[in-house]
Amino acid sequence: MNVLFVHGWACGWQDWSGVASLLPDGVNNGLAKLPGSPGAVPLEGAVSLRDCAAHVIAHANDLGFDRFALVGHSMGARIAIELAANWQARVSSLLLLDGSNVPEDPDEAVARLKEQLGQLGQQEWAEATFATMMLDNLDQDQKHDLVTRAAQYPTEVLLAYYHAMAAWDRDHFGSAIDHLTCPVTILQSTSLDEHEVRRPVAAYPSSLWLDAFRARIPKATIKLVPDTGHFLMLEQPRLIADWVGDLMPVGRDIQEEKIRSCNQPKL
């Protein structure tokens, strides 16, 4: 079985290391490295989330993954949706971790971010930004790694992806989820309130992101994960590994056998 993981904005493939170490035997995993992220190929010029999806497909091709389960976090969840909507035959199942939808003018969004970076400098900006992502349950090394990685991003790369994300949220989110054909599971630990401040999902179970899936894909499995910050894969890697394990043929065979046993007539 094959599974691909896509990291979020200002993040990196390293975020999946804990999950990868827990995957069952027989799982082939690929960790996408989006262009411009630390340790990846450079990003040349502007980018769209469709470009990112194409990059992930190219990575799947390099790995020999004809069909695969797909996991995305935050911006990576958006990329995963875009990929699954446009390469439907390639994706067997979709797991979306703590995504959001913030439709706004991409030029205005980038101007605001550029101003913040100019005022604070990238290191202080990274510290302030990640402090809003509810990291209390992470250890100091994990927090340090997240902030350091974000501070290492070239400024133009942060701005390019921010523009791409805002444009996709405004122009493509709804149509993309309408074109999903594979099973969809959402693990949601936080939500953005009306002021775009990150809050615990238990207190804010409704959002543009979740409500769109509830309305457009009623069969989607939505699980609210309480007492957890934005980085689900770091705090609760077992949840993601178990989702992958449940997709494996052996796991499905056991479940089907249980169902058959329950349906057998009593003698």
Side-chain angles (χ1 to χ4, degrees), residues 189-218:
S189 52
T190 74
S191 286
L192 298 178
D193 68 14
E194 62 274 16
H195 304 295
E196 297 183 18
V197 176
R198 196 169 295 279
R199 305 291 190 184
V201 72
Y204 289 83
S206 178
S207 66
L208 291 177
W209 174 264
L210 291 177
D211 292 347
F213 281 98
R214 291 177 177 126
R216 294 171 182 259
I217 310 182

PDB file of all heavy atoms in Angstrom, residues 189-218:
ATOM      1  N   SER A 189      -8.635  19.806  14.621  1.00  0.00           N
ATOM      2  CA  SER A 189      -8.318  20.107  16.018  1.00  0.00           C
ATOM      3  C   SER A 189      -8.530  21.575  16.364  1.00  0.00           C
ATOM      4  O   SER A 189      -8.726  21.915  17.532  1.00  0.00           O
ATOM      5  CB  SER A 189      -6.877  19.703  16.326  1.00  0.00           C
ATOM      6  OG  SER A 189      -5.982  20.263  15.376  1.00  0.00           O
ATOM      7  N   THR A 190      -8.474  22.465  15.356  1.00  0.00           N
ATOM      8  CA  THR A 190      -8.666  23.894  15.606  1.00  0.00           C
ATOM      9  C   THR A 190      -9.570  24.487  14.534  1.00  0.00           C
ATOM     10  O   THR A 190      -9.790  23.883  13.486  1.00  0.00           O
ATOM     11  CB  THR A 190      -7.322  24.660  15.616  1.00  0.00           C
ATOM     12  OG1 THR A 190      -6.833  24.797  14.273  1.00  0.00           O
ATOM     13  CG2 THR A 190      -6.274  23.950  16.463  1.00  0.00           C
ATOM     14  N   SER A 191     -10.056  25.683  14.804  1.00  0.00           N
ATOM     15  CA  SER A 191     -10.831  26.442  13.820  1.00  0.00           C
ATOM     16  C   SER A 191     -10.423  27.901  13.918  1.00  0.00           C
ATOM     17  O   SER A 191      -9.951  28.362  14.967  1.00  0.00           O
ATOM     18  CB  SER A 191     -12.336  26.313  14.080  1.00  0.00           C
ATOM     19  OG  SER A 191     -12.836  25.052  13.705  1.00  0.00           O
ATOM     20  N   LEU A 192     -10.626  28.627  12.836  1.00  0.00           N
ATOM     21  CA  LEU A 192     -10.418  30.064  12.847  1.00  0.00           C
ATOM     22  C   LEU A 192     -11.744  30.759  13.146  1.00  0.00           C
ATOM     23  O   LEU A 192     -12.758  30.464  12.507  1.00  0.00           O
ATOM     24  CB  LEU A 192      -9.872  30.537  11.501  1.00  0.00           C
ATOM     25  CG  LEU A 192      -8.509  29.968  11.085  1.00  0.00           C
ATOM     26  CD1 LEU A 192      -8.114  30.484   9.708  1.00  0.00           C
ATOM     27  CD2 LEU A 192      -7.432  30.302  12.109  1.00  0.00           C
ATOM     28  N   ASP A 193     -11.733  31.675  14.117  1.00  0.00           N
ATOM     29  CA  ASP A 193     -12.963  32.387  14.442  1.00  0.00           C
ATOM     30  C   ASP A 193     -13.207  33.516  13.446  1.00  0.00           C
ATOM     31  O   ASP A 193     -12.496  33.645  12.437  1.00  0.00           O
ATOM     32  CB  ASP A 193     -12.941  32.889  15.890  1.00  0.00           C
ATOM     33  CG  ASP A 193     -11.900  33.991  16.132  1.00  0.00           C
ATOM     34  OD1 ASP A 193     -11.372  34.558  15.158  1.00  0.00           O
ATOM     35  OD2 ASP A 193     -11.637  34.279  17.314  1.00  0.00           O
ATOM     36  N   GLU A 194     -14.190  34.361  13.723  1.00  0.00           N
ATOM     37  CA  GLU A 194     -14.564  35.413  12.777  1.00  0.00           C
ATOM     38  C   GLU A 194     -13.464  36.446  12.583  1.00  0.00           C
ATOM     39  O   GLU A 194     -13.467  37.198  11.603  1.00  0.00           O
ATOM     40  CB  GLU A 194     -15.852  36.100  13.232  1.00  0.00           C
ATOM     41  CG  GLU A 194     -15.763  36.809  14.574  1.00  0.00           C
ATOM     42  CD  GLU A 194     -16.035  35.900  15.765  1.00  0.00           C
ATOM     43  OE1 GLU A 194     -16.001  34.670  15.599  1.00  0.00           O
ATOM     44  OE2 GLU A 194     -16.286  36.437  16.858  1.00  0.00           O
ATOM     45  N   HIS A 195     -12.499  36.474  13.501  1.00  0.00           N
ATOM     46  CA  HIS A 195     -11.356  37.379  13.377  1.00  0.00           C
ATOM     47  C   HIS A 195     -10.099  36.659  12.884  1.00  0.00           C
ATOM     48  O   HIS A 195      -9.000  37.210  12.966  1.00  0.00           O
ATOM     49  CB  HIS A 195     -11.078  38.056  14.719  1.00  0.00           C
ATOM     50  CG  HIS A 195     -12.256  38.786  15.294  1.00  0.00           C
ATOM     51  ND1 HIS A 195     -12.818  39.888  14.681  1.00  0.00           N
ATOM     52  CD2 HIS A 195     -13.004  38.538  16.407  1.00  0.00           C
ATOM     53  CE1 HIS A 195     -13.851  40.307  15.406  1.00  0.00           C
ATOM     54  NE2 HIS A 195     -13.993  39.514  16.444  1.00  0.00           N
ATOM     55  N   GLU A 196     -10.282  35.423  12.423  1.00  0.00           N
ATOM     56  CA  GLU A 196      -9.193  34.588  11.922  1.00  0.00           C
ATOM     57  C   GLU A 196      -8.165  34.275  13.015  1.00  0.00           C
ATOM     58  O   GLU A 196      -6.973  34.106  12.753  1.00  0.00           O
ATOM     59  CB  GLU A 196      -8.505  35.213  10.701  1.00  0.00           C
ATOM     60  CG  GLU A 196      -9.433  35.353   9.511  1.00  0.00           C
ATOM     61  CD  GLU A 196      -8.743  35.892   8.274  1.00  0.00           C
ATOM     62  OE1 GLU A 196      -7.500  35.835   8.211  1.00  0.00           O
ATOM     63  OE2 GLU A 196      -9.444  36.365   7.360  1.00  0.00           O
ATOM     64  N   VAL A 197      -8.651  34.186  14.247  1.00  0.00           N
ATOM     65  CA  VAL A 197      -7.828  33.757  15.374  1.00  0.00           C
ATOM     66  C   VAL A 197      -8.072  32.268  15.599  1.00  0.00           C
ATOM     67  O   VAL A 197      -9.220  31.811  15.608  1.00  0.00           O
ATOM     68  CB  VAL A 197      -8.173  34.551  16.645  1.00  0.00           C
ATOM     69  CG1 VAL A 197      -7.380  34.031  17.844  1.00  0.00           C
ATOM     70  CG2 VAL A 197      -7.902  36.037  16.425  1.00  0.00           C
ATOM     71  N   ARG A 198      -7.010  31.508  15.776  1.00  0.00           N
ATOM     72  CA  ARG A 198      -7.142  30.064  15.914  1.00  0.00           C
ATOM     73  C   ARG A 198      -7.687  29.704  17.295  1.00  0.00           C
ATOM     74  O   ARG A 198      -7.186  30.173  18.321  1.00  0.00           O
ATOM     75  CB  ARG A 198      -5.785  29.385  15.680  1.00  0.00           C
ATOM     76  CG  ARG A 198      -5.906  27.885  15.419  1.00  0.00           C
ATOM     77  CD  ARG A 198      -4.590  27.311  14.921  1.00  0.00           C
ATOM     78  NE  ARG A 198      -4.215  27.859  13.621  1.00  0.00           N
ATOM     79  CZ  ARG A 198      -4.706  27.437  12.464  1.00  0.00           C
ATOM     80  NH1 ARG A 198      -5.617  26.481  12.434  1.00  0.00           N
ATOM     81  NH2 ARG A 198      -4.303  27.978  11.333  1.00  0.00           N
ATOM     82  N   ARG A 199      -8.715  28.860  17.310  1.00  0.00           N
ATOM     83  CA  ARG A 199      -9.394  28.460  18.540  1.00  0.00           C
ATOM     84  C   ARG A 199      -9.527  26.938  18.598  1.00  0.00           C
ATOM     85  O   ARG A 199      -9.471  26.271  17.562  1.00  0.00           O
ATOM     86  CB  ARG A 199     -10.796  29.070  18.597  1.00  0.00           C
ATOM     87  CG  ARG A 199     -10.851  30.587  18.451  1.00  0.00           C
ATOM     88  CD  ARG A 199     -10.266  31.284  19.651  1.00  0.00           C
ATOM     89  NE  ARG A 199     -10.530  32.729  19.599  1.00  0.00           N
ATOM     90  CZ  ARG A 199     -10.063  33.595  20.479  1.00  0.00           C
ATOM     91  NH1 ARG A 199      -9.316  33.186  21.488  1.00  0.00           N
ATOM     92  NH2 ARG A 199     -10.355  34.886  20.361  1.00  0.00           N
ATOM     93  N   PRO A 200      -9.756  26.359  19.781  1.00  0.00           N
ATOM     94  CA  PRO A 200     -10.021  24.909  19.863  1.00  0.00           C
ATOM     95  C   PRO A 200     -11.283  24.556  19.097  1.00  0.00           C
ATOM     96  O   PRO A 200     -12.289  25.265  19.169  1.00  0.00           O
ATOM     97  CB  PRO A 200     -10.193  24.675  21.369  1.00  0.00           C
ATOM     98  CG  PRO A 200      -9.541  25.837  22.031  1.00  0.00           C
ATOM     99  CD  PRO A 200      -9.722  26.999  21.103  1.00  0.00           C
ATOM    100  N   VAL A 201     -11.242  23.460  18.372  1.00  0.00           N
ATOM    101  CA  VAL A 201     -12.386  23.100  17.536  1.00  0.00           C
ATOM    102  C   VAL A 201     -13.606  22.761  18.380  1.00  0.00           C
ATOM    103  O   VAL A 201     -14.741  22.929  17.931  1.00  0.00           O
ATOM    104  CB  VAL A 201     -12.023  21.933  16.598  1.00  0.00           C
ATOM    105  CG1 VAL A 201     -11.902  20.615  17.370  1.00  0.00           C
ATOM    106  CG2 VAL A 201     -13.027  21.803  15.453  1.00  0.00           C
ATOM    107  N   ALA A 202     -13.404  22.292  19.612  1.00  0.00           N
ATOM    108  CA  ALA A 202     -14.551  21.971  20.463  1.00  0.00           C
ATOM    109  C   ALA A 202     -15.382  23.213  20.747  1.00  0.00           C
ATOM    110  O   ALA A 202     -16.614  23.134  20.890  1.00  0.00           O
ATOM    111  CB  ALA A 202     -14.069  21.357  21.774  1.00  0.00           C
ATOM    112  N   ALA A 203     -14.733  24.382  20.803  1.00  0.00           N
ATOM    113  CA  ALA A 203     -15.450  25.629  21.048  1.00  0.00           C
ATOM    114  C   ALA A 203     -15.968  26.253  19.762  1.00  0.00           C
ATOM    115  O   ALA A 203     -16.905  27.068  19.797  1.00  0.00           O
ATOM    116  CB  ALA A 203     -14.540  26.618  21.782  1.00  0.00           C
ATOM    117  N   TYR A 204     -15.362  25.886  18.636  1.00  0.00           N
ATOM    118  CA  TYR A 204     -15.740  26.454  17.333  1.00  0.00           C
ATOM    119  C   TYR A 204     -15.886  25.313  16.311  1.00  0.00           C
ATOM    120  O   TYR A 204     -15.068  25.169  15.413  1.00  0.00           O
ATOM    121  CB  TYR A 204     -14.697  27.466  16.859  1.00  0.00           C
ATOM    122  CG  TYR A 204     -14.701  28.746  17.647  1.00  0.00           C
ATOM    123  CD1 TYR A 204     -14.031  28.850  18.851  1.00  0.00           C
ATOM    124  CD2 TYR A 204     -15.391  29.874  17.186  1.00  0.00           C
ATOM    125  CE1 TYR A 204     -14.043  30.022  19.592  1.00  0.00           C
ATOM    126  CE2 TYR A 204     -15.406  31.051  17.915  1.00  0.00           C
ATOM    127  CZ  TYR A 204     -14.731  31.115  19.112  1.00  0.00           C
ATOM    128  OH  TYR A 204     -14.750  32.278  19.830  1.00  0.00           O
ATOM    129  N   PRO A 205     -16.939  24.491  16.457  1.00  0.00           N
ATOM    130  CA  PRO A 205     -17.092  23.331  15.561  1.00  0.00           C
ATOM    131  C   PRO A 205     -17.583  23.682  14.166  1.00  0.00           C
ATOM    132  O   PRO A 205     -17.633  22.818  13.296  1.00  0.00           O
ATOM    133  CB  PRO A 205     -18.110  22.456  16.296  1.00  0.00           C
ATOM    134  CG  PRO A 205     -18.930  23.444  17.073  1.00  0.00           C
ATOM    135  CD  PRO A 205     -17.989  24.533  17.489  1.00  0.00           C
ATOM    136  N   SER A 206     -17.960  24.944  13.961  1.00  0.00           N
ATOM    137  CA  SER A 206     -18.428  25.383  12.648  1.00  0.00           C
ATOM    138  C   SER A 206     -17.390  26.314  12.040  1.00  0.00           C
ATOM    139  O   SER A 206     -16.827  27.175  12.719  1.00  0.00           O
ATOM    140  CB  SER A 206     -19.763  26.117  12.787  1.00  0.00           C
ATOM    141  OG  SER A 206     -20.216  26.597  11.551  1.00  0.00           O
ATOM    142  N   SER A 207     -17.118  26.135  10.752  1.00  0.00           N
ATOM    143  CA  SER A 207     -16.184  26.991  10.028  1.00  0.00           C
ATOM    144  C   SER A 207     -16.495  26.898   8.548  1.00  0.00           C
ATOM    145  O   SER A 207     -17.211  25.986   8.115  1.00  0.00           O
ATOM    146  CB  SER A 207     -14.728  26.561  10.286  1.00  0.00           C
ATOM    147  OG  SER A 207     -14.485  25.276   9.730  1.00  0.00           O
ATOM    148  N   LEU A 208     -15.970  27.838   7.766  1.00  0.00           N
ATOM    149  CA  LEU A 208     -16.161  27.756   6.317  1.00  0.00           C
ATOM    150  C   LEU A 208     -15.662  26.429   5.775  1.00  0.00           C
ATOM    151  O   LEU A 208     -16.264  25.838   4.865  1.00  0.00           O
ATOM    152  CB  LEU A 208     -15.431  28.915   5.632  1.00  0.00           C
ATOM    153  CG  LEU A 208     -15.996  30.316   5.843  1.00  0.00           C
ATOM    154  CD1 LEU A 208     -15.101  31.346   5.159  1.00  0.00           C
ATOM    155  CD2 LEU A 208     -17.429  30.420   5.308  1.00  0.00           C
ATOM    156  N   TRP A 209     -14.548  25.959   6.305  1.00  0.00           N
ATOM    157  CA  TRP A 209     -13.936  24.694   5.870  1.00  0.00           C
ATOM    158  C   TRP A 209     -14.844  23.514   6.190  1.00  0.00           C
ATOM    159  O   TRP A 209     -15.254  22.765   5.296  1.00  0.00           O
ATOM    160  CB  TRP A 209     -12.590  24.557   6.560  1.00  0.00           C
ATOM    161  CG  TRP A 209     -11.842  23.283   6.369  1.00  0.00           C
ATOM    162  CD1 TRP A 209     -11.836  22.191   7.199  1.00  0.00           C
ATOM    163  CD2 TRP A 209     -10.938  22.952   5.302  1.00  0.00           C
ATOM    164  NE1 TRP A 209     -10.998  21.219   6.731  1.00  0.00           N
ATOM    165  CE2 TRP A 209     -10.437  21.662   5.563  1.00  0.00           C
ATOM    166  CE3 TRP A 209     -10.506  23.641   4.167  1.00  0.00           C
ATOM    167  CZ2 TRP A 209      -9.518  21.045   4.724  1.00  0.00           C
ATOM    168  CZ3 TRP A 209      -9.593  23.015   3.325  1.00  0.00           C
ATOM    169  CH2 TRP A 209      -9.116  21.732   3.606  1.00  0.00           C
ATOM    170  N   LEU A 210     -15.180  23.327   7.455  1.00  0.00           N
ATOM    171  CA  LEU A 210     -15.972  22.162   7.848  1.00  0.00           C
ATOM    172  C   LEU A 210     -17.387  22.225   7.289  1.00  0.00           C
ATOM    173  O   LEU A 210     -17.926  21.204   6.835  1.00  0.00           O
ATOM    174  CB  LEU A 210     -16.011  22.058   9.371  1.00  0.00           C
ATOM    175  CG  LEU A 210     -14.696  21.700  10.066  1.00  0.00           C
ATOM    176  CD1 LEU A 210     -14.886  21.704  11.578  1.00  0.00           C
ATOM    177  CD2 LEU A 210     -14.181  20.342   9.610  1.00  0.00           C
ATOM    178  N   ASP A 211     -17.987  23.403   7.312  1.00  0.00           N
ATOM    179  CA  ASP A 211     -19.372  23.511   6.840  1.00  0.00           C
ATOM    180  C   ASP A 211     -19.480  23.217   5.347  1.00  0.00           C
ATOM    181  O   ASP A 211     -20.490  22.669   4.889  1.00  0.00           O
ATOM    182  CB  ASP A 211     -19.925  24.902   7.146  1.00  0.00           C
ATOM    183  CG  ASP A 211     -20.094  25.135   8.642  1.00  0.00           C
ATOM    184  OD1 ASP A 211     -20.021  24.164   9.404  1.00  0.00           O
ATOM    185  OD2 ASP A 211     -20.266  26.307   9.036  1.00  0.00           O
ATOM    186  N   ALA A 212     -18.446  23.548   4.592  1.00  0.00           N
ATOM    187  CA  ALA A 212     -18.464  23.233   3.159  1.00  0.00           C
ATOM    188  C   ALA A 212     -18.468  21.728   2.933  1.00  0.00           C
ATOM    189  O   ALA A 212     -19.193  21.216   2.074  1.00  0.00           O
ATOM    190  CB  ALA A 212     -17.261  23.871   2.463  1.00  0.00           C
ATOM    191  N   PHE A 213     -17.664  21.003   3.699  1.00  0.00           N
ATOM    192  CA  PHE A 213     -17.650  19.547   3.541  1.00  0.00           C
ATOM    193  C   PHE A 213     -18.961  18.933   4.013  1.00  0.00           C
ATOM    194  O   PHE A 213     -19.473  17.988   3.395  1.00  0.00           O
ATOM    195  CB  PHE A 213     -16.472  18.947   4.310  1.00  0.00           C
ATOM    196  CG  PHE A 213     -15.162  19.081   3.599  1.00  0.00           C
ATOM    197  CD1 PHE A 213     -14.281  20.103   3.916  1.00  0.00           C
ATOM    198  CD2 PHE A 213     -14.819  18.211   2.585  1.00  0.00           C
ATOM    199  CE1 PHE A 213     -13.078  20.246   3.248  1.00  0.00           C
ATOM    200  CE2 PHE A 213     -13.627  18.341   1.905  1.00  0.00           C
ATOM    201  CZ  PHE A 213     -12.752  19.363   2.239  1.00  0.00           C
ATOM    202  N   ARG A 214     -19.506  19.447   5.092  1.00  0.00           N
ATOM    203  CA  ARG A 214     -20.788  18.920   5.580  1.00  0.00           C
ATOM    204  C   ARG A 214     -21.874  19.091   4.537  1.00  0.00           C
ATOM    205  O   ARG A 214     -22.723  18.222   4.350  1.00  0.00           O
ATOM    206  CB  ARG A 214     -21.170  19.621   6.879  1.00  0.00           C
ATOM    207  CG  ARG A 214     -20.274  19.271   8.070  1.00  0.00           C
ATOM    208  CD  ARG A 214     -20.664  20.056   9.311  1.00  0.00           C
ATOM    209  NE  ARG A 214     -19.856  19.676  10.465  1.00  0.00           N
ATOM    210  CZ  ARG A 214     -19.170  20.541  11.211  1.00  0.00           C
ATOM    211  NH1 ARG A 214     -19.203  21.842  10.924  1.00  0.00           N
ATOM    212  NH2 ARG A 214     -18.458  20.117  12.242  1.00  0.00           N
ATOM    213  N   ALA A 215     -21.860  20.228   3.836  1.00  0.00           N
ATOM    214  CA  ALA A 215     -22.905  20.512   2.848  1.00  0.00           C
ATOM    215  C   ALA A 215     -22.664  19.796   1.529  1.00  0.00           C
ATOM    216  O   ALA A 215     -23.614  19.309   0.899  1.00  0.00           O
ATOM    217  CB  ALA A 215     -22.988  22.024   2.617  1.00  0.00           C
ATOM    218  N   ARG A 216     -21.402  19.728   1.090  1.00  0.00           N
ATOM    219  CA  ARG A 216     -21.102  19.247  -0.259  1.00  0.00           C
ATOM    220  C   ARG A 216     -20.741  17.773  -0.306  1.00  0.00           C
ATOM    221  O   ARG A 216     -20.918  17.121  -1.342  1.00  0.00           O
ATOM    222  CB  ARG A 216     -19.960  20.079  -0.862  1.00  0.00           C
ATOM    223  CG  ARG A 216     -20.315  21.541  -1.109  1.00  0.00           C
ATOM    224  CD  ARG A 216     -19.075  22.333  -1.502  1.00  0.00           C
ATOM    225  NE  ARG A 216     -19.345  23.740  -1.711  1.00  0.00           N
ATOM    226  CZ  ARG A 216     -19.499  24.326  -2.888  1.00  0.00           C
ATOM    227  NH1 ARG A 216     -19.416  23.612  -3.991  1.00  0.00           N
ATOM    228  NH2 ARG A 216     -19.724  25.617  -2.982  1.00  0.00           N
ATOM    229  N   ILE A 217     -20.193  17.236   0.786  1.00  0.00           N
ATOM    230  CA  ILE A 217     -19.822  15.813   0.819  1.00  0.00           C
ATOM    231  C   ILE A 217     -20.379  15.216   2.107  1.00  0.00           C
ATOM    232  O   ILE A 217     -19.650  15.007   3.090  1.00  0.00           O
ATOM    233  CB  ILE A 217     -18.296  15.607   0.745  1.00  0.00           C
ATOM    234  CG1 ILE A 217     -17.701  16.400  -0.422  1.00  0.00           C
ATOM    235  CG2 ILE A 217     -17.959  14.126   0.585  1.00  0.00           C
ATOM    236  CD1 ILE A 217     -16.202  16.208  -0.586  1.00  0.00           C
ATOM    237  N   PRO A 218     -21.672  14.935   2.136  1.00  0.00           N
ATOM    238  CA  PRO A 218     -22.290  14.441   3.374  1.00  0.00           C
ATOM    239  C   PRO A 218     -21.680  13.136   3.886  1.00  0.00           C
ATOM    240  O   PRO A 218     -21.745  12.854   5.095  1.00  0.00           O
ATOM    241  CB  PRO A 218     -23.759  14.237   2.963  1.00  0.00           C
ATOM    242  CG  PRO A 218     -23.952  15.107   1.774  1.00  0.00           C
ATOM    243  CD  PRO A 218     -22.647  15.131   1.056  1.00  0.00           C
TER     244      PRO A 218
END
